[in-house]
Amino acid sequence: MFNWEFDVAGGAAMIRRPGYGDHLVATIDPDILERHATPGTPPGLSDAIGWTGQLSDEQQPEHWQVVFAVANRDESAALAEKLGAAVVSSSDTEWTNTALIKDPQGAPLVLSQFIPPTG
């Protein structure tokens, strides 16, 4: 119905909408395809609109987690704070820099900056 495609890798599934990366290039992120051309990047990542799966080994109740892709985690977190959000935590991994924030009403969300590995 939505023309979604699913790629399963390990314990997670990437939900893709073919052509979404091209839409991002044309509208708000002209460099996304170049960033996602890094060796080791999952095929079709530019078309990703969602993920499902367990994110850690911790026992957590099932829940939704809203993640927004941002060009710069630190700048986005600072703007969110200026607008009334609270930064709860941040982390850097091989592929992403993220910040967990709570909006002014207390709803949690994640800001995620794609950072391809170097070397």
Side-chain angles (χ1 to χ4, degrees):
M1 180 166 145
F2 298 114
N3 293 323
W4 291 355
E5 295 179 357
F6 298 83
D7 292 318
V8 177
M14 176 174 45
I15 306 166
R16 293 183 296 108
R17 173 64 167 93
Y20 185 60
D22 294 331
H23 166 74
L24 294 174
V25 167
T27 57
I28 61 168
D29 194 350
D31 301 323
I32 190 170
L33 299 178
E34 181 180 311
R35 287 194 317 275
H36 290 179
T38 303
T41 301
L45 181 63
S46 300
D47 292 334
I49 58 168
W51 295 85
T52 64
Q54 188 172 349
L55 296 177
S56 70
D57 292 333
E58 297 175 25
Q59 295 297 322
Q60 296 181 19
E62 293 183 8
H63 66 282
W64 287 93
Q65 183 173 39
V66 177
V67 179
F68 290 95
V70 296
N72 185 296
R73 183 232 10 227
D74 296 333
E75 289 177 7
S76 298
L79 177 59
E81 280 186 309
K82 181 179 177 183
L83 296 172
V87 176
V88 176
S89 63
S90 63
S91 66
D92 298 342
T93 70
E94 181 181 18
W95 290 93
T96 61
N97 292 344
T98 62
L100 172 62
I101 67 171
K102 287 193 176 183
D103 73 10
Q105 289 74 41
L109 59 107
V110 175
L111 305 174
S112 180
Q113 177 184 355
F114 177 74
I115 303 289
T118 57

